[in-house]
Amino acid sequence: MTDEAVAIPPSEERKPDLPPPLSVAGPIAWLRENLFASPFDIVLTLVSVLLIYFVVPPLLDWLIFSATWTYPTEVVLGDRAAKFQDCAPGGACWIFVRARIGQFIFGFYPEAERWRVVLSFAIGAIGIYGLLGGPDRFKKYAGYLFFIAFPIISVWLLRGGLGLTPVTTDQWGGFMLTLVIALVGIVLSLPIGIILALGRRSKLPVIQLLCVVFIEVVRGVPLITVMFMANILLPIFLPADMDINVLLRVLVGTTAFVSAYMAEAVRGGLQAIPKGQFEGAMALGLSYWQMMRLIVLPQALRISIPSIVNTFIGFFKDTTLVSMVGLYDFLNMVRAGFKDANWVGVELSGYAFCAIVYWVCCFSMSRYSMFLERKLHTGHKKR
Amino acid sequence: MATQSAAQAKTGVEMQVGTDVMIELSSVNKWYGQFHVLKDINLTVYKGERIVVCGPSGSGKSTMIRCINRLEEHQRGKIAVEGVELTHDLKNIEQVRREVGMVFQHFNLFPHLTVLENLTLAPIWVRKMPKKEAEEVAMHYLQRVKIPEQAAKYPGQLSGGQQQRVAIARSLCMNPKVMLFDEPTSALDPEMIKEVLEVMIELARSGMTMLCVTHEMGFARTVANRVIFMDRGEIIEQNTPEEFFLHPKSDRTKLFLSQILHH
C-alpha cells in the first residue's frame, strides 16, 4: 500500500460486489431478452406457447397416458388372443406391438433359432461399440472383429449350415432384415464410395470415365428402379444356372446406389483439401496411396462427416423400399400385422411405433456424427 | 561461370562448396498454356552450395524450384538430381523427392496430425524407419529448431513462425541432401521472420545444400554463396552476394534491387 491515490481507500475494507440488478441478469432479464424483446417476438412467443399447449399434451396423452399397455385378463389367462377391441379408444394400442414384437424383430425366422440372430447382432454391436466409442487401444481388434469376423460369423449364424439348421433368406424379415440391408449398404458403400470418388478425380481418363458413368447413372435413377433392375436384370447377365436369391440381388442394388451417393459426399470433402496438403505429402516422397490414406482422406472424410451421415440416414429410411420387391423389412412386417382380422383398425398405432423406431435409429446416427466432429476437431485450421 | 562464382564465393560462412554436382538443370523450358514460364534455364548446384533466387513476382523462380522435385512438370530440357533424371518414371520422381526436402510459403503441415506425427510420418512410411527411432530423430530436429516442447500439439495451435520451423524440421527428418525453400518467410508476421531465418542460417552453417527463393536480402548476404536473379522466366544474372548487391550488371537487376532495398 502506498499513499498514492487509489480507487479504494486502504483503510476501508472492500465489500463484496453487489449482484447485478434483476433487469440485467436472472430469469426475468432472460425472458425479456429472448422471448419478449419486440412486438414481433411477443407474437411469436404467444403463438408458440399456444401451439405447444394444443399439440404436446394431447400427443403425450395419446402416446402414454391413455395408451393401452397391458393385456386384458382373458388374454393373460390364455383364454383368447389379444385384439384391437381390447385397446382403449382414445390412446395408442401398444398391445399390438407387444403381441407381435417377435415378428417385428425377427420376421418369419423360426422361433427356436432366434438366438442366432440375437447373438450375431450382439457381436456386431460389440464391434461397433469398440470402433466408435471404445478406448483407442481396442480399436484395432474391434476393427478385425467387425470387418472380418462379424460378417463371416453372421452369415453362418443367420443362414445356418455347418451344424446349424438352415434358415433360407425368405424367412428373414422385420427389423433384423432392415438392419442387415442397412449395415451391408453402409459398411460396403463407404470404401466403394471412396474408390469411386478418387477414381472420379483420377488423371487416367478411362478410370475417370468409368467412375463418372457409374455415379451419374446410378444417382440419376430412383432407388426403386435400381432395385427392380437388380432383381430382374442381374439374373439376365449371370449364367442361367447361377441362382442368386432376391435378398442378395437387393443388397447388390442398394449398395451400388448408396455407393454412388457416398462417392459424391466424399468428393465434396476431397475438393475442400488445399493443394498444399497434396504438395506437402508429395514433397516428402509419399506415394499416391500413402498420401491419400494418411494425409488427404483423413481430412476429407472429417469434412464430409455431415454429408456422409446424411446419406446413411437417408439410406436407412430408404431400406423400407425393399417391400416393393416382396421383402418383409420392419415397416412391411408391421403393415403385414394390420391384415390380421384381430387387429383391424390398429394402423395408427403401428405406424407411430415404426416412426419412433426409425427416428431413434436416425437420431442416434446424427448425434454420433456430431460427437465425432467434435472429437476430430484439432484446433483452428490453417492451410 | 557457375563453377567460378561458386569457388570464388566468400561469405560469412566457411567454404564448404564441393565439386560434386547436386542438381543440374539444362535448357529447361516450361509453358502454362501459351505462357512461357521458364525459358531455357541452365543451372548447376554443387554440393554444399547455398543459393538465393530472387526476382519480381511472376518471374518463374518458384516454378523453377518446384520443378526440381517435380511438383511442376517441365516440358523441355533436362533436370537431374544427383544424377537421377526427372522423367515420367514414377520411381525416379519418388527417389528424388525422398532426397530433396522442401519448405513452403504456407508451411503445408498436416493439421490432423500432431507436430511429432507430422515429423515421423515420412520417415516411418517412406524410409520404413521403426516408430521409436523416427520419434528420436524427430525430437532431435525439434530441438534443433528450438521447439521440442510443442511436440504433442497440433499445428493449428502454433504461431506461424513455429509452424514454419516445424515444417523445416519435418523436411530434415528425411535426412535430405538438398533443401528447397519456396518463400519461407513471406507468409509470416514480421516479428516471426527472424526465428525462421535463424534456423535457416544455422542449417546453412551445418553444410546443407540449399536453394532458397526469398526476398530476405539480409539472409542472402549472410549465408548465400550465390545469388540468382530471375525475370520473366529467365536467369538474368548470378553472382556472389557482394558483387550482386554492390555491382549489379543488368538494368533489370538494378531496378529490382532499388525497389526492394529502398522501401
Side-chain angles (χ1 to χ4, degrees):
Chain A
M1 292 289 151
T2 58
D3 41 16
E4 279 167 50
V6 280
I8 303 160
S11 58
E12 216 175 292
E13 220 172 282
R14 184 158 177 200
K15 290 186 179 120
D17 290 343
L18 289 170
L22 279 179
S23 58
V24 180
I28 295 172
W30 185 90
L31 283 177
R32 191 174 285 168
E33 196 176 308
N34 292 295
L35 300 179
F36 302 105
S38 67
F40 183 63
D41 283 5
I42 294 171
V43 172
L44 275 186
T45 303
L46 291 179
V47 169
S48 308
V49 168
L50 280 179
L51 262 181
I52 294 171
Y53 177 75
F54 281 113
V55 171
V56 174
L59 195 64
L60 286 180
D61 184 55
W62 188 82
L63 282 172
I64 299 169
F65 303 115
S66 297
T68 306
W69 296 85
T70 47
Y71 291 131
T73 340
E74 304 97 286
V75 177
V76 178
L77 292 173
D79 293 346
R80 62 169 178 86
K83 56 181 198 275
F84 182 57
Q85 282 70 33
D86 294 331
C87 290
C93 186
W94 296 138
I95 56 173
F96 168 66
V97 174
R98 206 169 149 180
R100 297 192 154 249
I101 191 74
Q103 273 194 25
F104 290 172
I105 297 177
F106 300 101
F108 312 108
Y109 214 85
E111 241 166 278
E113 308 293 332
R114 283 177 182 173
W115 62 271
R116 284 156 45 178
V117 181
V118 175
L119 179 62
S120 146
F121 283 116
I123 296 173
I126 294 170
I128 290 182
Y129 173 74
L131 274 179
L132 302 186
D136 280 342
R137 64 206 144 102
F138 294 136
K139 288 252 157 84
K140 206 169 111 190
Y141 305 107
Y144 289 137
L145 177 73
F146 186 74
F147 291 108
I148 298 168
F150 173 59
I152 299 170
I153 296 174
S154 309
V155 168
W156 173 57
L157 279 175
L158 295 181
R159 296 190 58 202
L162 295 172
L164 293 175
T165 325
V167 180
T168 51
T169 53
D170 51 5
Q171 289 171 279
W172 300 14
F175 194 66
M176 161 218 172
L177 184 67
T178 296
L179 270 188
V180 167
I181 298 167
L183 273 182
V184 169
I186 286 173
V187 171
L188 290 183
S189 69
L190 192 58
I192 299 176
I194 290 172
I195 301 282
L196 285 171
L198 292 178
R200 191 166 187 167
R201 288 167 55 100
S202 166
K203 284 185 191 129
L204 305 169
V206 179
I207 291 179
Q208 196 194 12
L209 185 73
L210 282 176
C211 292
V212 171
V213 167
F214 179 86
I215 292 169
E216 293 304 334
V217 166
V218 174
R219 217 160 51 118
V221 169
L223 178 55
I224 298 187
T225 319
V226 174
M227 258 178 316
F228 277 129
M229 282 200 310
N231 216 4
I232 296 160
L233 288 183
L234 213 57
I236 298 175
F237 289 121
L238 292 167
D241 53 336
M242 214 172 128
D243 179 39
I244 306 185
N245 70 53
V246 183
L247 178 61
L248 198 57
R249 288 181 224 162
V250 163
L251 286 179
V252 170
T254 48
T255 304
F257 188 79
V258 212
S259 300
Y261 276 90
M262 198 50 58
E264 289 302 282
V266 173
R267 191 167 69 100
L270 285 175
Q271 265 164 351
I273 304 299
K275 209 168 139 232
Q277 291 291 308
F278 293 85
E279 291 181 347
M282 284 193 283
L284 285 168
L286 267 65
S287 69
Y288 174 83
W289 289 109
Q290 285 173 337
M291 169 174 80
M292 285 302 171
R293 189 158 59 90
L294 301 167
I295 307 301
V296 178
L297 282 174
Q299 298 183 58
L301 291 180
R302 195 195 75 83
I303 298 171
S304 337
I305 288 173
S307 41
I308 289 176
V309 174
N310 190 31
T311 310
F312 283 161
I313 288 176
F315 171 63
F316 187 78
K317 292 180 293 182
D318 281 353
T319 55
T320 52
L321 292 171
V322 298
S323 62
M324 301 300 290
V325 289
L327 293 180
Y328 281 88
D329 74 310
F330 178 59
L331 178 66
N332 207 16
M333 204 70 231
V334 173
R335 285 163 55 103
F338 301 158
K339 291 183 188 123
D340 189 330
N342 277 343
W343 294 107
V344 173
V346 81
E347 283 87 348
L348 192 56
S349 301
Y351 283 128
F353 177 64
C354 282
I356 293 169
V357 169
Y358 280 105
W359 182 81
V360 166
C361 293
C362 295
F363 186 66
S364 9
M365 281 195 260
S366 155
R367 295 307 293 190
Y368 179 70
S369 90
M370 285 160 82
F371 160 77
L372 201 62
E373 275 177 70
R374 268 199 309 275
K375 190 177 151 194
L376 296 179
H377 188 75
T378 59
H380 46 272
K381 302 250 161 223
K382 290 201 175 158
R383 288 163 213 253
Chain B
M1 179 211 150
T3 329
Q4 266 187 343
S5 63
Q8 285 166 357
K10 280 196 194 101
T11 62
V13 185
E14 319 81 79
M15 292 290 311
Q16 283 153 330
V17 177
T19 47
D20 307 342
V21 174
M22 201 57 136
I23 302 170
E24 174 110 60
L25 283 81
S26 46
S27 323
V28 171
N29 280 278
K30 178 173 175 61
W31 289 263
Y32 285 129
Q34 289 293 305
F35 181 57
H36 203 168
V37 221
L38 295 179
K39 299 173 187 160
D40 249 347
I41 300 285
N42 287 292
L43 175 70
T44 308
V45 181
Y46 294 90
K47 193 164 187 284
E49 268 204 289
R50 300 156 305 273
I51 297 177
V52 163
V53 184
C54 59
S57 68
S59 59
K61 47 197 192 322
S62 281
T63 309
M64 180 182 80
I65 73 161
R66 286 161 60 85
C67 280
I68 294 172
N69 66 355
R70 196 64 166 200
L71 291 182
E72 305 279 351
E73 202 178 303
H74 61 285
Q75 276 114 25
R76 205 186 291 161
K78 188 184 145 188
I79 300 178
V81 179
E82 277 215 305
V84 179
E85 200 189 329
L86 283 170
T87 56
H88 286 284
D89 191 345
L90 255 174
K91 226 179 191 156
N92 282 7
I93 295 174
E94 279 173 16
Q95 192 186 338
V96 165
R97 284 177 180 164
R98 274 199 295 274
E99 307 303 333
V100 177
M102 181 143 190
V103 175
F104 299 86
Q105 183 177 2
H106 294 292
F107 332 132
N108 297 355
L109 292 175
F110 308 131
H112 62 302
L113 301 177
T114 63
V115 166
L116 191 65
E117 286 165 344
N118 263 280
L119 266 66
T120 55
L121 182 98
I124 289 173
W125 291 95
V126 180
R127 292 249 191 257
K128 311 290 174 208
M129 197 185 273
K131 192 177 169 209
K132 207 156 173 230
E133 195 186 331
E135 282 176 356
E136 279 165 22
V137 172
M139 286 314 292
H140 167 77
Y141 283 110
L142 274 184
Q143 239 134 36
R144 242 179 98 175
V145 299
K146 302 184 191 80
I147 36 175
E149 72 282 359
Q150 312 286 3
K153 288 200 185 157
Y154 285 95
Q157 298 167 304
L158 305 184
S159 74
Q162 291 173 325
Q163 291 195 45
Q164 191 61 298
R165 286 187 280 156
V166 170
I168 294 173
R170 179 175 73 176
S171 287
L172 292 176
C173 281
M174 284 295 281
N175 198 14
K177 293 178 174 137
V178 191
M179 287 282 284
L180 308 176
F181 291 83
D182 188 0
E183 308 209 20
T185 54
S186 305
L188 296 177
D189 292 334
E191 73 269 24
M192 290 168 183
I193 291 177
K194 196 169 151 251
E195 63 188 55
V196 171
L197 286 180
E198 273 168 7
V199 167
M200 289 171 64
I201 290 169
E202 200 264 328
L203 187 62
R205 298 220 156 106
S206 73
M208 175 65 72
T209 312
M210 292 163 74
L211 198 54
C212 313
V213 172
T214 181
H215 294 133
E216 294 298 328
M217 291 304 134
F219 173 77
R221 282 205 189 91
T222 322
V223 300
N225 60 326
R226 202 171 1 147
V227 179
I228 290 175
F229 175 70
M230 284 181 76
D231 193 16
R232 291 176 218 160
E234 290 169 294
I235 294 182
I236 304 294
E237 191 170 339
Q238 49 180 317
N239 219 325
T240 60
E242 299 92 78
E243 284 297 305
F244 179 81
F245 290 114
L246 292 177
H247 313 291
K249 292 191 192 85
S250 89
D251 292 337
R252 278 197 255 177
T253 317
K254 284 174 196 160
L255 179 67
F256 175 73
L257 284 177
S258 72
Q259 277 164 347
I260 63 161
L261 295 178
H262 308 288
H263 68 84

